Structures are given as structure tokens and as C-alpha cells.
């Protein structure tokens, strides 16, 4: 039976690819939540109060007033939060071990590779104060390689781990910004179809609009 919170979960986040993941998951799970903005442009992620719940000074982080045993719990790192909410609700994170391993593989692929490498692509092509050709070439090439991995994985599949899951939530927030990553989505028909399918979900749209 899915857990139902009487009190909202506080989501400390900002409008970034990582920051969108948790509101999307909470919308999908129909759990009440409250956005607590952490303006990273103003370095609010370094405030002592935020450090107390996110030791790495990174968004997102949550405070669930109804955690294990009915006691509050804090969780930081987007992948850990998605897994926690999946276990809490029994949604989008399968209990079957074989299916869960597949979700975990692609979740870790996203948090360890797809997200960080695309983030570096954003930085060096858009935000860096000086253009460094070697860095731009390196990270753009890696972005294209990772999209190629995703394209192959989605061959014959509607979702990354067959059923819609936290692996899709983790990945879509970055993939929707493909136009910033030097990637021609027109050359990736499987990714393009998947992206359209996931972004059409009402809960995904609500989660993206929440931050």
C-alpha cells in the first residue's frame, strides 16, 4: 500500500535539471510537498541551515516529517531521494529484484555520467567566462556518446527500464535541454519519441512547473 503523508514534504531545490527531479516524483506519487527555494545564483546552498540537511551543499534535498517509524528524515542527493520516495510509496521503483537492478543501473548511469557530463557541457559552452575549445570539444563529444547509449537502450522500448520509473525521471530533466548540449535530437529517433512521451505526462509537467 502506498504511503500517504498527512504533512507535506519540504523540497529544498531550485530550477535546474537536478532540482526538477523531486517535484516530478512527488507529483507522480501524489504526495503533498512544499517547495523551499534555494537560490543557487545567490549562493544560498552554502547557508548553514541548508548545509545541515545537504552536507555537499547541492540541491535537491528533502525533509520528510513522516519518515521511517513516523519520525522525520532528511535525504540529500537526487538519486537517493528518488529511491527513498520509490520505496516509501511503492511507485516507480519495482520491488522485483531483477527489475529493480535495471532501474538502479540506469539511475546510476544518469547521476554518475549523463547529468555531470551534460552539466560540464552547459558550463563550458554557455556559462564559462572564457571559451576553452578543448573543454567544449571534449564534453560535447561525451554528451553525444551518452545520447548514443540512451538511443540504443530505447530501441524497442517505451521507457528506459521498460516500465516508467525513477530512471526516466532522473534522465528526462537533462535530456529536455538537449538543444544546449550540441546534440541533434533529430538524429536520435528513439530518444525523441521517449522524450515526447515522458514530457507529455501531466505529473511531469506539474513537477517542472513547480520550481
Amino acid at each position: 500500500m502506498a504511503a500517504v503523508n498527512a504533512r507535506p514534504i519540504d523540497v529544498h531545490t531550485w530550477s535546474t535539471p537536478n532540482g526538477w527531479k523531486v517535484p516530478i516524483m512527488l507529483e507522480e506519487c501524489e504526495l503533498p510537498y512544499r517547495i523551499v527555494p534555494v537560490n543557487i545564483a545567490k549562493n544560498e546552498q552554502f547557508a548553514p541551515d541548508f548545509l545541515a540537511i545537504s552536507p555537499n551543499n547541492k540541491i535537491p534535498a528533502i525533509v520528510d516529517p513522516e519518515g521511517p517509524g513516523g519520525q522525520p528524515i532528511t535525504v540529500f542527493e537526487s538519486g537517493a531521494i528518488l529511491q527513498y520516495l520509490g520505496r516509501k510509496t511503492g511507485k516507480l521503483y519495482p520491488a522485483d529484484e531483477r527489475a529493480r537492478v535495471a532501474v538502479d543501473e540506469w539511475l546510476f548511469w544518469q547521476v554518475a555520467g549523463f547529468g555531470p557530463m551534460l552539466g560540464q557541457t552547459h558550463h563550458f559552452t554557455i556559462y564559462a567566462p572564457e571559451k576553452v575549445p578543448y573543454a567544449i570539444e571534449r564534453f560535447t563529444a561525451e554528451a553525444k556518446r551518452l545520447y548514443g547509449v540512451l538511443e540504443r537502450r530505447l530501441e524497442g522500448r517505451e521507457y528506459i527500464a521498460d516500465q516508467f520509473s525513477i530512471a526516466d525521471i532522473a534522465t528526462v530533466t537533462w535530456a529536455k535541454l538537449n538543444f544546449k548540449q550540441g546534440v541533434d535530437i533529430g538524429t536520435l529517433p528513439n530518444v525523441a519519441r521517449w522524450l515526447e512521451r515522458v514530457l507529455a505526462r501531466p505529473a511531469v509537467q506539474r513537477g517542472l512547473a513547480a520550481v
Side-chain angles (χ1 to χ4, degrees):
M1 180 180 297
V4 178
N5 273 46
R7 292 176 289 169
I9 294 172
D10 282 346
V11 184
H12 297 254
T13 192
W14 195 243
S15 182
T16 71
N18 285 334
W20 289 318
K21 295 175 187 177
V22 178
I24 290 173
M25 180 63 172
L26 289 164
E27 289 286 350
E28 289 281 357
C29 294
E30 299 181 291
L31 284 174
Y33 66 95
R34 179 179 65 174
I35 297 294
V36 181
V38 180
N39 190 335
I40 60 176
K42 296 181 178 179
N43 292 325
E44 291 179 357
Q45 70 272 30
F46 297 106
D49 288 351
F50 184 66
L51 176 63
I53 62 171
S54 183
N56 196 33
N57 296 114
K58 298 288 185 180
I59 61 154
I62 67 169
V63 180
D64 183 358
E66 299 176 19
Q71 298 302 308
I73 188 173
T74 64
V75 190
F76 73 101
E77 290 295 328
S78 62
I81 297 169
L82 292 175
Q83 288 179 324
Y84 167 74
L85 293 173
R87 292 191 300 268
K88 178 184 178 76
T89 62
K91 296 181 179 180
L92 307 185
Y93 193 38
D96 174 76
E97 183 63 16
R98 191 173 297 276
R100 178 168 286 191
V101 165
V103 170
D104 283 343
E105 286 177 329
W106 290 95
L107 175 65
F108 279 69
W109 172 81
Q110 190 283 313
V111 298
F114 194 70
M117 294 301 102
L118 298 188
Q120 293 294 332
T121 306
H122 290 180
H123 176 76
F124 284 106
T125 59
I126 302 171
Y127 303 113
E130 63 176 291
K131 299 301 180 185
V132 182
Y134 172 76
I136 293 172
E137 181 179 351
R138 173 182 172 83
F139 289 111
T140 300
E142 181 62 1
K144 292 178 179 178
R145 186 192 73 82
L146 288 163
Y147 271 98
V149 173
L150 184 59
E151 174 73 7
R152 293 191 296 274
R153 174 62 182 179
L154 287 167
E155 180 68 36
R157 291 183 171 88
E158 289 193 352
Y159 299 108
I160 294 173
D162 295 315
Q163 301 297 317
F164 183 71
S165 73
I166 59 176
D168 298 284
I169 292 174
T171 307
V172 73
T173 59
W174 285 95
K176 82 183 204 69
L177 299 177
N178 58 83
F179 58 91
K180 291 185 175 183
Q181 298 151 4
V183 174
D184 181 2
I185 201 73
T187 66
L188 302 164
N190 296 326
V191 173
R193 285 191 292 268
W194 164 83
L195 189 59
E196 182 178 14
R197 185 178 301 119
V198 175
L199 290 176
R201 295 176 69 93
V204 173
Q205 295 174 9
R206 291 194 301 270
L208 289 170
V211 185

